[in-house]
Amino acid sequence: MADWQEITGGITAPRGYQAAGITAGLKPSGLPDLALIFSEVEAIAAGVFTTSQVKAACVEYCRQRLQAKQSARAILCNAGQANAATGTQGYLDTLESALAVGQALNIPSESVLVASTGVIGQRIKMDALRSGIPKVVAALSETGSDAAAGAIITTDLVTKSIALETTISDRPVRIGGIAKGSGMIHPNMATMLAFVTCDAVVSPHLWQQMLARAADRSFNSITVDGDTSTNDSLIALANGQSRTPAIIEWGAEAEKLEAMLTAVCQHLAKAIARDGEGATCLIEVEVTGAHDELSARQIARTIAGSSLVKSAIFGRDPNWGRIAAAAGRAGVPFEQENLQIKLGDFLMLENGQPLQFDRAAASAYLKKAAAGAYLQQDTVLISVNVGNGYGVGKAWGCDLSYDYVKINAEYTT
């Protein structure tokens, strides 16, 4: 059993945080497009960002800020324009955004982190942003998580939010998070943004390590379409307002905090994968028997990201051969005669040998998942064993439907 419980409140569930989301006029649709997350005190800050060589201005800015100072008090996020591949002026726009937020909150601009999402090659609409910042600051609230979650999305069909609570040193500790992402999802860190808040007291070094490992086991283990974004950002704040003893070295309390952080990130990551553009179900791939966890995750990600596997799932076709082929090209050595493949409860391949199974029932299993409740009964489970090693890894993706092509063919038109 997990040593925590789900609570309400999202990113404002932890103590000492406020959030807001407003319509500033950045999106042509007129939907909410400017979000702000604010810690009432200086918070330890950590970040994991896209590894793309083409990085948005906000990514470069946040990297530099966190290298200089591992703390922050505010995160500003605009939706509508990615501000990626916008040159020097795009970076200056990001600097101006941070300065404006700092002035409005009466904090140093160095304590403001910035994220952007939207169309690549488009600068932020600065006139709209300038007028929107005082409004989003005025809207800050301890119940503002839902508004912020709604203001960061683009092609998402649903908002993504979670909050968990555990006990450390007999005091409650909470972690909350929101995320956006639906297409251009293949993190090497998806367009994917995630923001996490925590009220524990933790050293900067440990918090960054925890976040990096949590990202590997969540956001770096999902794929929708194989495309890594220019703007991928995962930013986490820990402000210490739980008043628990400081976690400054690895031990039982640090392990518990990291496990809960990973659970928050995995929930948000799965929500992103399930909301993949045009998707009808979530695909969860678990690989066992690999040499180590990294190898297992690599195989799992390759299967989850296979266009042929994803297309078969959409067609409700239990074509295990595509799963085997994807596992084989993952770049991880294993003996073919050890390979085992299951789709749900249907065992299809054992010791490298094909087995008879009820194809109609297996297809019905896929159809049932597509009709299941969102993030509850809508998951297709693929289990693959490759040997006798101790490595276990998971990855998440979604099926590939006709609507994915339609959505992305018309994205800027």
Side-chain angles (χ1 to χ4, degrees):
M1 294 291 292
D3 194 16
W4 53 76
Q5 62 181 349
E6 186 170 345
I7 58 175
T8 60
I11 51 169
T12 53
R15 291 168 182 79
Y17 292 97
Q18 300 177 44
I22 66 162
T23 299
L26 297 164
K27 288 180 181 176
S29 64
L31 294 173
D33 49 24
L34 188 63
L36 182 64
I37 302 166
F38 178 60
S39 174
E40 295 169 2
V41 298
E42 194 77 6
I44 297 302
V48 182
F49 303 95
T50 183
T51 59
S52 172
Q53 294 302 303
V54 181
K55 299 178 179 66
C58 56
V59 170
E60 296 285 7
Y61 167 83
C62 286
R63 283 181 183 276
Q64 293 180 21
R65 282 285 180 262
L66 292 177
Q67 286 174 359
K69 186 179 74 165
Q70 293 177 293
S71 66
R73 287 191 63 183
I75 304 170
L76 178 75
C77 180
N78 73 277
Q81 300 85 45
N83 198 23
T86 50
T88 302
Q89 189 56 54
Y91 190 80
L92 293 176
D93 290 343
T94 297
L95 291 176
E96 182 183 344
S97 301
L99 180 61
V101 171
Q103 291 174 340
L105 290 171
N106 196 28
I107 63 174
S109 62
E110 291 80 7
S111 293
V112 180
L113 300 175
V114 179
S116 301
T117 183
V119 180
I120 294 171
Q122 292 188 4
R123 287 177 51 203
I124 302 170
K125 295 180 180 177
M126 291 304 294
D127 287 343
L129 188 80
R130 291 184 191 102
S131 61
I133 286 175
K135 297 174 184 176
V136 76
V137 168
L140 283 171
S141 165
E142 294 179 353
T143 58
S145 180
D146 288 347
I152 67 174
I153 61 175
T154 50
T155 60
D156 307 53
L157 296 179
V158 297
T159 57
K160 292 117 180 136
S161 177
I162 183 71
L164 300 177
E165 179 182 274
T166 192
T167 300
I168 294 178
S169 298
D170 297 322
R171 294 185 64 86
V173 171
R174 298 171 178 174
I175 299 179
I178 61 173
K180 66 84 54 181
S182 184
M184 199 179 281
I185 304 294
H186 190 73
N188 275 311
M189 113 20 189
T191 303
M192 189 218 90
L193 300 176
F195 308 117
V196 174
T197 57
C198 176
D199 52 18
V201 185
V202 58
S203 73
H205 180 67
L206 273 183
W207 190 232
Q208 180 64 52
Q209 286 185 333
M210 289 178 184
L211 189 66
R213 286 190 292 262
D216 281 341
R217 292 166 178 161
S218 57
F219 299 110
N220 282 343
S221 294
I222 61 173
T223 183
V224 168
D225 46 24
D227 278 298
T228 296
S229 170
T230 56
N231 290 56
D232 290 341
S233 299
L234 166 61
I235 299 172
L237 305 180
N239 68 6
Q241 292 303 287
S242 64
R243 306 299 183 189
T244 51
I247 300 174
I248 58 175
E249 59 185 19
W250 188 250
E253 293 181 344
E255 185 175 345
K256 180 188 286 190
L257 187 67
E258 181 175 331
M260 189 164 71
L261 174 64
T262 301
V264 165
C265 291
Q266 286 183 341
H267 175 91
L268 296 174
K270 287 191 284 186
I272 289 173
R274 174 59 185 89
D275 196 27
E277 290 166 338
T280 68
C281 62
L282 178 71
I283 300 173
E284 179 174 299
V285 182
E286 181 177 49
V287 173
T288 58
H291 175 68
D292 52 29
E293 180 185 351
L294 185 63
S295 298
R297 285 207 314 266
Q298 179 63 30
I299 297 172
R301 274 189 68 177
T302 304
I303 295 169
S306 165
S307 294
L308 291 178
V309 171
K310 291 154 63 70
S311 298
I313 299 299
F314 175 67
R316 319 311 173 206
D317 178 12
N319 188 346
W320 61 264
R322 293 180 174 181
I323 299 171
R329 66 173 173 83
V332 176
F334 63 86
E335 297 300 327
Q336 180 172 321
E337 57 266 27
N338 292 330
L339 187 61
Q340 179 194 82
I341 296 175
K342 290 177 67 177
L343 178 66
D345 293 329
F346 297 92
L347 183 61
M348 301 173 164
L349 186 75
E350 179 87 78
N351 297 322
Q353 298 294 316
L355 302 176
Q356 294 295 322
F357 65 95
D358 189 334
R359 295 188 65 85
S363 181
Y365 165 72
L366 297 175
K367 293 175 183 176
K368 183 178 179 181
Y374 187 82
L375 283 182
Q376 295 180 41
Q377 293 92 32
D378 60 351
T379 303
V380 170
L381 298 175
I382 297 175
S383 304
V384 176
N385 183 271
V386 296
N388 300 314
Y390 295 103
V392 177
K394 288 185 179 182
W396 297 271
C398 61
D399 56 342
L400 181 59
S401 74
Y402 312 130
D403 283 342
Y404 176 83
V405 176
K406 179 177 175 60
I407 290 166
N408 283 283
E410 303 171 354
Y411 187 66
T412 63
T413 57

